[in-house]
Protein backbone atom coordinates (compact mmCIF):
# COMPACT_ATOMS: atom_id res chain seq x y z
CA UNK A 1 0.00 0.00 0.00
CA UNK A 2 1.46 3.34 -1.04
CA UNK A 3 1.18 6.71 0.65
CA UNK A 4 -0.78 9.14 -1.49
CA UNK A 5 0.59 12.20 0.30
CA UNK A 6 4.10 11.42 -0.94
CA UNK A 7 3.19 12.24 -4.53
CA UNK A 8 0.78 15.16 -4.40
CA UNK A 9 0.44 18.71 -3.17
CA UNK A 10 -2.38 19.01 -0.60
CA UNK A 11 -5.45 20.86 -1.85
CA UNK A 12 -4.96 23.66 0.67
CA UNK A 13 -1.57 24.44 -0.91
CA UNK A 14 -2.67 24.41 -4.56
CA UNK A 15 -2.37 27.69 -6.48
CA UNK A 16 -3.68 28.89 -9.84
CA UNK A 17 -1.34 27.76 -12.62
CA UNK A 18 0.17 24.88 -10.65
CA UNK A 19 -0.25 21.23 -11.68
CA UNK A 20 -2.53 18.90 -9.78
CA UNK A 21 -1.30 15.32 -9.68
CA UNK A 22 -1.89 12.31 -7.47
CA UNK A 23 -4.63 10.54 -5.57
CA UNK A 24 -7.69 12.25 -4.09
CA UNK A 25 -11.13 11.23 -2.85
CA UNK A 26 -13.95 11.84 -5.33
CA UNK A 27 -17.01 13.03 -3.42
CA UNK A 28 -19.11 14.31 -6.35
CA UNK A 29 -19.44 13.29 -9.98
CA UNK A 30 -21.83 14.79 -12.54
CA UNK A 31 -22.04 14.68 -16.33
CA UNK A 32 -22.87 18.20 -17.47
CA UNK A 33 -23.72 19.90 -20.77
CA UNK A 34 -21.84 23.04 -21.76
CA UNK A 35 -23.47 26.03 -23.49
CA UNK A 36 -21.94 24.77 -26.74
CA UNK A 37 -23.88 21.51 -26.34
CA UNK A 38 -20.84 19.38 -25.58
CA UNK A 39 -20.56 17.13 -22.52
CA UNK A 40 -18.11 17.70 -19.72
CA UNK A 41 -17.44 16.02 -16.40
CA UNK A 42 -17.77 17.93 -13.11
CA UNK A 43 -16.30 16.38 -9.97
CA UNK A 44 -15.27 17.42 -6.47
CA UNK A 45 -12.00 16.19 -5.01
CA UNK A 46 -11.06 16.00 -1.34
CA UNK A 47 -8.13 15.32 0.91
CA UNK A 48 -7.68 16.07 4.61
CA UNK A 49 -6.72 19.68 3.85
CA UNK A 50 -9.87 20.61 1.91
CA UNK A 51 -11.85 20.23 -1.30
CA UNK A 52 -11.61 21.55 -4.86
CA UNK A 53 -14.02 21.40 -7.79
CA UNK A 54 -12.65 19.98 -11.03
CA UNK A 55 -13.78 19.60 -14.64
CA UNK A 56 -12.79 17.48 -17.60
CA UNK A 57 -13.83 18.75 -21.01
CA UNK A 58 -12.10 16.27 -23.32
CA UNK A 59 -13.27 12.63 -23.49
CA UNK A 60 -15.83 13.29 -20.76
CA UNK A 61 -17.86 10.13 -21.36
CA UNK A 62 -14.76 7.95 -21.55
CA UNK A 63 -13.37 9.39 -18.32
CA UNK A 64 -16.74 9.04 -16.59
CA UNK A 65 -16.53 5.29 -17.12
CA UNK A 66 -13.20 5.05 -15.32
CA UNK A 67 -14.50 5.77 -11.79
CA UNK A 68 -17.54 6.39 -9.59
CA UNK A 69 -18.42 8.86 -6.87
CA UNK A 70 -16.95 7.57 -3.62
CA UNK A 71 -13.81 6.16 -5.26
CA UNK A 72 -10.24 7.14 -4.62
CA UNK A 73 -9.01 8.47 -7.96
CA UNK A 74 -5.69 9.35 -9.52
CA UNK A 75 -5.87 12.63 -11.42
CA UNK A 76 -3.70 14.79 -13.63
CA UNK A 77 -4.33 18.37 -14.70
CA UNK A 78 -3.76 21.99 -13.86
CA UNK A 79 -5.25 24.42 -11.35
CA UNK A 80 -7.04 27.50 -12.64
CA UNK A 81 -9.15 30.32 -11.22
CA UNK A 82 -12.80 30.47 -12.25
CA UNK A 83 -15.24 33.05 -10.85
CA UNK A 84 -12.81 33.95 -8.05
CA UNK A 85 -12.45 30.33 -6.93
CA UNK A 86 -9.80 27.72 -7.61
CA UNK A 87 -10.80 24.86 -9.85
CA UNK A 88 -8.91 22.08 -11.58
CA UNK A 89 -8.94 21.35 -15.29
CA UNK A 90 -8.31 17.61 -15.57
CA UNK A 91 -6.79 15.69 -18.44
CA UNK A 92 -7.09 12.30 -16.76
CA UNK A 93 -8.96 10.72 -13.86
CA UNK A 94 -9.25 7.03 -13.01
CA UNK A 95 -10.12 4.79 -10.08
CA UNK A 96 -7.32 3.65 -7.80
CA UNK A 97 -7.46 -0.10 -7.20
CA UNK A 98 -8.35 -1.26 -3.66
CA UNK A 99 -5.28 -1.71 -1.51
CA UNK A 100 -3.12 0.60 -3.60
CA UNK A 101 -3.61 3.59 -1.29
CA UNK A 102 -4.66 3.78 2.38
CA UNK A 103 -8.12 5.44 2.49
CA UNK A 104 -7.33 6.70 6.00
CA UNK A 105 -5.32 9.50 4.36
CA UNK A 106 -8.56 11.03 3.06
CA UNK A 107 -10.87 10.60 6.07
CA UNK A 108 -11.23 12.66 9.25
CA UNK A 109 -9.50 11.32 12.36
CA UNK A 110 -10.05 11.47 16.12
CA UNK A 111 -9.31 14.73 17.86
CA UNK A 112 -7.88 12.92 20.87
CA UNK A 113 -4.65 10.94 20.91
CA UNK A 114 -5.44 7.36 19.88
CA UNK A 115 -2.50 5.92 21.84
CA UNK A 116 -3.81 7.58 25.01
CA UNK A 117 -7.33 6.28 24.36
CA UNK A 118 -5.97 2.81 23.76
CA UNK A 119 -4.22 2.96 27.13
CA UNK A 120 -7.50 3.93 28.80
CA UNK A 121 -9.19 0.94 27.14
CA UNK A 122 -6.49 -1.37 28.54
CA UNK A 123 -7.11 0.04 32.02
CA UNK A 124 -10.87 -0.39 31.73
CA UNK A 125 -10.43 -4.00 30.66
CA UNK A 126 -8.43 -4.65 33.83
CA UNK A 127 -11.38 -3.36 35.88
CA UNK A 128 -13.32 -6.55 35.02
CA UNK A 129 -12.72 -9.06 37.84
CA UNK A 130 -15.21 -11.83 37.07
CA UNK A 131 -12.93 -14.60 35.64
CA UNK A 132 -15.27 -15.56 32.82
CA UNK A 133 -16.04 -12.03 31.67
CA UNK A 134 -12.38 -11.02 32.06
CA UNK A 135 -11.35 -13.95 29.84
CA UNK A 136 -13.86 -12.83 27.21
CA UNK A 137 -12.72 -9.20 27.36
CA UNK A 138 -9.10 -10.37 27.07
CA UNK A 139 -10.02 -12.53 24.07
CA UNK A 140 -10.86 -9.31 22.22
CA UNK A 141 -8.40 -6.86 23.75
CA UNK A 142 -5.53 -9.33 23.47
CA UNK A 143 -6.15 -9.89 19.75
CA UNK A 144 -3.78 -7.60 17.83
CA UNK A 145 -5.78 -7.83 14.59
CA UNK A 146 -9.00 -6.90 16.37
CA UNK A 147 -7.34 -4.04 18.22
CA UNK A 148 -5.93 -2.61 14.98
CA UNK A 149 -9.38 -2.61 13.38
CA UNK A 150 -10.99 -1.25 16.54
CA UNK A 151 -8.52 1.66 16.81
CA UNK A 152 -9.15 2.60 13.19
CA UNK A 153 -12.95 2.27 13.02
CA UNK A 154 -15.39 5.18 13.00
CA UNK A 155 -18.42 5.12 15.27
CA UNK A 156 -20.89 6.46 12.70
CA UNK A 157 -20.82 7.54 9.06
CA UNK A 158 -21.52 11.23 9.66
CA UNK A 159 -23.02 11.51 13.16
CA UNK A 160 -21.33 11.45 16.57
CA UNK A 161 -17.70 10.28 16.49
CA UNK A 162 -17.95 9.98 12.69
CA UNK A 163 -14.20 9.73 12.09
CA UNK A 164 -11.34 7.25 12.30
CA UNK A 165 -10.72 6.43 15.95
CA UNK A 166 -14.26 7.50 16.83
CA UNK A 167 -15.29 4.01 17.92
CA UNK A 168 -12.41 3.78 20.38
CA UNK A 169 -13.14 7.28 21.73
CA UNK A 170 -16.84 6.53 22.22
CA UNK A 171 -16.17 3.14 23.81
CA UNK A 172 -13.73 4.58 26.34
CA UNK A 173 -16.26 7.27 27.24
CA UNK A 174 -19.15 4.82 27.73
CA UNK A 175 -17.03 2.37 29.73
CA UNK A 176 -15.74 5.20 31.93
CA UNK A 177 -19.31 6.35 32.56
CA UNK A 178 -20.21 2.74 33.39
CA UNK A 179 -17.48 2.59 36.04
CA UNK A 180 -18.64 5.84 37.62
CA UNK A 181 -22.28 4.69 37.58
CA UNK A 182 -21.34 1.46 39.34
CA UNK A 183 -19.57 3.46 42.04
CA UNK A 184 -22.82 5.36 42.64
CA UNK A 185 -25.13 2.33 42.36
CA UNK A 186 -23.34 -0.54 44.09
CA UNK A 187 -26.08 -3.07 43.38
CA UNK A 188 -25.26 -2.98 39.67
CA UNK A 189 -23.15 -5.84 38.34
CA UNK A 190 -20.01 -3.84 37.62
CA UNK A 191 -18.26 -6.65 35.74
CA UNK A 192 -21.22 -7.21 33.44
CA UNK A 193 -21.84 -3.52 32.77
CA UNK A 194 -18.15 -2.72 32.18
CA UNK A 195 -17.71 -5.68 29.82
CA UNK A 196 -20.90 -4.73 27.97
CA UNK A 197 -19.69 -1.13 27.67
CA UNK A 198 -16.35 -2.25 26.24
CA UNK A 199 -17.97 -4.64 23.75
CA UNK A 200 -21.29 -2.97 22.96
CA UNK A 201 -20.23 -1.51 19.60
CA UNK A 202 -17.65 -4.06 18.41
CA UNK A 203 -19.90 -4.93 15.46
CA UNK A 204 -19.02 -1.55 13.99
CA UNK A 205 -15.60 -2.80 12.90
CA UNK A 206 -17.54 -4.80 10.28
CA UNK A 207 -20.45 -2.39 9.77
CA UNK A 208 -18.46 0.19 7.80
CA UNK A 209 -16.11 0.26 4.83
CA UNK A 210 -13.46 2.93 4.31
CA UNK A 211 -12.89 4.54 0.93
CA UNK A 212 -13.25 8.09 -0.28
CA UNK A 213 -16.02 8.25 2.32
CA UNK A 214 -17.22 6.13 5.23
CA UNK A 215 -19.90 3.82 3.81
CA UNK A 216 -21.87 0.81 5.00
CA UNK A 217 -20.56 -2.64 4.21
CA UNK A 218 -23.11 -5.12 2.87
CA UNK A 219 -23.12 -6.81 6.27
CA UNK A 220 -23.64 -3.51 8.03
CA UNK A 221 -26.43 -2.43 5.70
CA UNK A 222 -28.30 -5.75 5.81
CA UNK A 223 -27.72 -6.86 9.40
CA UNK A 224 -26.31 -3.99 11.47
CA UNK A 225 -23.81 -3.77 14.28
CA UNK A 226 -26.21 -4.92 17.03
CA UNK A 227 -26.51 -8.36 15.47
CA UNK A 228 -22.90 -8.48 14.29
CA UNK A 229 -21.67 -7.65 17.79
CA UNK A 230 -23.79 -10.35 19.41
CA UNK A 231 -22.45 -12.90 16.94
CA UNK A 232 -18.85 -11.86 17.66
CA UNK A 233 -19.43 -12.15 21.42
CA UNK A 234 -21.13 -15.54 21.13
CA UNK A 235 -18.30 -16.90 18.97
CA UNK A 236 -15.51 -15.88 21.34
CA UNK A 237 -17.51 -16.76 24.45
CA UNK A 238 -17.79 -20.32 23.15
CA UNK A 239 -13.99 -20.50 22.93
CA UNK A 240 -13.46 -19.16 26.45
CA UNK A 241 -16.14 -21.34 28.05
CA UNK A 242 -18.06 -18.43 29.57
CA UNK A 243 -21.17 -19.54 31.46
CA UNK A 244 -24.19 -19.50 29.09
CA UNK A 245 -26.24 -17.35 31.49
CA UNK A 246 -23.50 -14.71 31.51
CA UNK A 247 -23.27 -14.84 27.72
CA UNK A 248 -27.02 -14.29 27.48
CA UNK A 249 -26.93 -11.36 29.92
CA UNK A 250 -24.08 -9.77 27.96
CA UNK A 251 -25.74 -10.30 24.61
CA UNK A 252 -28.94 -8.78 25.98
CA UNK A 253 -27.06 -5.62 26.97
CA UNK A 254 -25.62 -5.35 23.46
CA UNK A 255 -29.00 -6.01 21.83
CA UNK A 256 -30.69 -3.37 24.00
CA UNK A 257 -28.15 -0.57 23.96
CA UNK A 258 -30.21 1.41 21.41
CA UNK A 259 -33.34 1.05 23.54
CA UNK A 260 -35.95 -1.51 24.52
CA UNK A 261 -37.83 -0.97 21.26
CA UNK A 262 -35.10 -2.97 19.51
CA UNK A 263 -36.05 -6.03 21.61
CA UNK A 264 -38.89 -8.44 20.77
CA UNK A 265 -40.44 -7.96 24.21
CA UNK A 266 -39.79 -4.20 24.17
CA UNK A 267 -38.57 -4.35 27.79
CA UNK A 268 -35.15 -4.21 29.40
CA UNK A 269 -34.23 -7.48 31.03
CA UNK A 270 -31.70 -6.11 33.51
CA UNK A 271 -30.68 -2.85 35.22
CA UNK A 272 -27.30 -3.21 33.46
CA UNK A 273 -28.96 -3.20 30.04
CA UNK A 274 -30.95 -0.08 30.97
CA UNK A 275 -27.81 1.61 32.31
CA UNK A 276 -25.83 0.84 29.14
CA UNK A 277 -28.63 2.26 26.98
CA UNK A 278 -28.69 5.51 28.97
CA UNK A 279 -24.89 5.87 29.12
CA UNK A 280 -24.50 5.18 25.41
CA UNK A 281 -27.18 7.76 24.61
CA UNK A 282 -25.58 10.29 26.96
CA UNK A 283 -22.17 10.17 25.28
CA UNK A 284 -23.62 10.02 21.77
CA UNK A 285 -25.99 12.96 22.28
CA UNK A 286 -23.50 15.21 24.06
CA UNK A 287 -20.78 14.49 21.50
CA UNK A 288 -23.28 15.04 18.68
CA UNK A 289 -24.25 18.42 20.13
CA UNK A 290 -20.62 19.48 20.47
CA UNK A 291 -19.83 18.45 16.89
CA UNK A 292 -23.01 19.37 15.05
CA UNK A 293 -24.95 21.69 17.36
CA UNK A 294 -27.94 21.24 19.60
CA UNK A 295 -30.98 19.50 18.10
CA UNK A 296 -33.79 21.79 17.03
Amino acid sequence: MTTASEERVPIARLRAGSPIEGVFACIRKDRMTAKTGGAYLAVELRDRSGTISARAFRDADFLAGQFDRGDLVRVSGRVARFREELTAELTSIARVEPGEVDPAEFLPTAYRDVEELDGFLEHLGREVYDPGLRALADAFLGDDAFRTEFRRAPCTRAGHHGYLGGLLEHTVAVATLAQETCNLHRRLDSDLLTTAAILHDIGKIREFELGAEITYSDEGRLIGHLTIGQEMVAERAARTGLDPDRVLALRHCIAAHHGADSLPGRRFGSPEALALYRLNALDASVKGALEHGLPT
Side-chain angles (χ1 to χ4, degrees):
M1 183 177 294
T2 60
T3 302
S5 58
E6 294 176 353
E7 55 180 280
R8 64 176 167 81
V9 176
I11 287 173
R13 289 170 48 198
L14 291 173
R15 298 292 181 266
S18 66
I20 178 170
E21 306 280 348
V23 177
F24 297 87
C26 175
I27 60 174
R28 183 175 69 89
K29 172 189 175 184
D30 293 301
R31 184 184 184 278
M32 309 292 285
T33 302
K35 293 180 179 180
T36 60
Y40 71 94
L41 194 60
V43 301
E44 188 169 359
L45 305 174
R46 184 188 67 196
D47 64 12
R48 281 188 183 170
S49 73
T51 62
I52 187 171
S53 62
R55 301 173 297 178
F57 291 98
R58 296 185 59 183
D59 303 318
D61 289 330
F62 170 76
L63 293 176
Q66 306 304 303
F67 70 101
D68 291 309
R69 178 189 176 277
D71 285 339
L72 297 179
V73 294
R74 189 178 301 278
V75 308
S76 180
R78 186 161 293 277
V79 180
R81 187 170 293 279
F82 178 70
R83 293 178 180 171
E84 302 305 316
E85 293 186 1
L86 290 182
T87 187
E89 306 290 343
L90 302 181
T91 55
S92 68
I93 178 169
R95 178 187 298 110
V96 172
E97 293 304 315
E100 186 177 341
V101 174
D102 186 355
E105 294 186 41
F106 304 90
L107 296 170
T109 57
Y111 309 117
R112 296 180 59 185
D113 184 85
V114 173
E115 293 295 333
E116 182 183 41
L117 289 168
D118 206 41
F120 286 144
L121 185 65
E122 288 276 1
H123 168 74
L124 291 161
R126 291 194 293 268
E127 292 296 307
V128 177
Y129 297 100
D130 177 279
L133 290 173
R134 176 65 176 269
L136 178 61
D138 287 346
F140 285 100
L141 299 183
D143 182 335
D144 290 341
F146 170 82
R147 286 288 285 277
T148 297
E149 290 185 80
F150 194 82
R151 286 162 55 102
R152 179 183 174 96
C155 197
T156 63
R157 289 182 61 238
H160 71 91
H161 302 88
Y163 42 78
L164 303 189
L167 177 58
L168 174 60
E169 185 178 334
H170 172 64
T171 299
V172 167
V174 174
T176 301
L177 289 168
Q179 287 276 291
E180 295 299 323
T181 302
C182 289
N183 287 335
L184 293 170
H185 301 283
R186 296 303 180 94
R187 292 170 60 189
L188 285 170
D189 185 332
S190 176
D191 290 325
L192 174 61
L193 182 54
T194 302
T195 304
I198 291 171
L199 301 180
H200 78 283
D201 268 346
I202 57 173
K204 291 191 174 184
I205 69 171
R206 287 163 35 188
E207 184 171 43
F208 300 115
E209 290 182 346
L210 306 181
E213 301 173 291
I214 299 169
T215 59
Y216 283 110
S217 65
D218 288 342
E219 188 177 22
R221 179 174 55 84
L222 296 174
I223 298 175
H225 73 278
L226 298 180
T227 299
I228 297 169
Q230 290 184 71
E231 291 175 352
M232 293 171 68
V233 164
E235 179 185 355
R236 299 216 185 195
R239 297 184 207 166
T240 63
L242 180 60
D243 179 87
D245 288 341
R246 295 297 259 172
V247 177
L248 186 60
L250 182 58
R251 291 183 64 188
H252 172 69
C253 288
I254 294 172
H257 81 262
H258 280 187
D261 285 347
S262 61
L263 301 170
R266 297 185 180 276
R267 295 183 62 186
F268 292 105
S270 69
E272 292 76 23
L274 171 62
L276 180 61
Y277 161 62
R278 294 295 189 185
L279 298 175
N280 176 72
L282 172 61
D283 184 59
S285 59
V286 171
K287 184 66 170 179
L290 292 172
E291 292 178 340
H292 306 295
L294 293 168
T296 57

